[in-house]
Amino acid sequence: MIQPRPRTIPEATVARLAVYLRVLTSFADGGRTTVSSGELASAAGVNPAGLRKDLSHLGSCGVRGVGYEVRALRERIARVLGAERSRACVLVGIGNLGTALADYAGFGSRGFRFTGLFDAAPERIGQRIGGLAVQPMAELEETVAGTAVAIGVIATPAEVAQQVCDRLCAAGVRSILNFAPVTLTPPPGVDVRQVDLSVELQVLAFLGQQRAVPAGEVSA
């Protein structure tokens, strides 16, 4: 078995590797055995040269004139990303977005499993979502410690997100995915990924507006 090169991979490349993994899994499930760099790049929404540069971080992968073996490349990327190991996660904030996240079955197939769902609203405590009962915030630290939580997901209102982040970090969580519309300030050694849906919509609105501007017309 060829082991991945022990080198640091840029964060942007890691994000694209996760997309390649998703695409390759889809190909494998559909019975594909090989795929060209052009096909894989097109399915992932990147250019072939960028794809080959990303995969160069993994060492030698493809065969000239043949392409890539789908299952072998999928397994290589999965090892690099650590996707072959199951990671325990907790989700804090069971509003509309949090409920949708908790009930999404796709996380499990990628190695992420929720071991606790938490909310501060008394009326939500005990509700079952995705096979788990919503717990009160008072049980957060105990669950984090008891299930060796690796990732905390925050889907709370902005005004309480930092407090939740502080509690997760103090309990030992070192990776946080934040859906709250606020920038968090974690302690050193904690990685935070921000997903702000309103910002993404704003970007799309701007791009749509730019397409609507007649060619040659420049805004003042």
Side-chain angles (χ1 to χ4, degrees), residues 21-142:
L21 178 61
R22 183 192 66 204
V23 172
L24 288 165
T25 298
S26 178
F27 283 162
D29 291 344
R32 291 286 298 274
T33 56
T34 61
V35 62
S36 69
S37 60
E39 289 176 306
L40 181 54
S42 178
V46 301
N47 63 66
L51 170 77
R52 289 190 290 270
K53 182 178 180 181
D54 289 339
L55 296 183
S56 70
H57 290 281
L58 312 182
S60 179
C61 294
V63 177
R64 185 178 296 275
V66 176
Y68 304 99
E69 292 186 11
V70 170
R71 292 190 179 278
L73 182 56
R74 183 185 66 172
E75 291 172 2
R76 178 83 67 87
I77 295 175
R79 286 200 303 274
V80 168
L81 296 180
E84 79 285 1
R85 296 190 291 115
S86 178
R87 285 178 168 78
C89 309
V90 292
L91 171 61
V92 182
I94 312 300
N96 292 333
L97 177 58
T99 297
L101 293 170
D103 206 30
Y104 177 56
F107 293 133
S109 64
R110 299 296 289 271
F112 303 99
R113 57 186 176 84
F114 284 120
T115 59
L117 309 176
F118 297 88
D119 201 277
E123 63 272 17
R124 293 195 179 114
I125 306 305
Q127 292 181 1
R128 297 196 68 82
I129 306 171
L132 290 175
V134 178
Q135 299 171 245
M137 290 297 296
E139 298 177 3
L140 178 63
E141 287 80 3
E142 181 181 355

Side-chain angles (χ1 to χ4, degrees), residues 124-193:
R124 293 195 179 114
I125 306 305
Q127 292 181 1
R128 297 196 68 82
I129 306 171
L132 290 175
V134 178
Q135 299 171 245
M137 290 297 296
E139 298 177 3
L140 178 63
E141 287 80 3
E142 181 181 355
T143 298
V144 167
T147 60
V149 168
I151 300 173
V153 181
I154 299 176
T156 66
E159 58 268 22
V160 297
Q162 183 63 56
Q163 177 186 349
V164 171
C165 174
D166 293 342
R167 289 183 61 178
L168 287 169
C169 295
V173 174
R174 292 295 174 262
S175 299
I176 292 175
L177 180 61
N178 179 38
F179 285 91
V182 64
T183 300
L184 299 178
T185 304
V190 175
D191 297 312
V192 174
R193 295 285 293 182

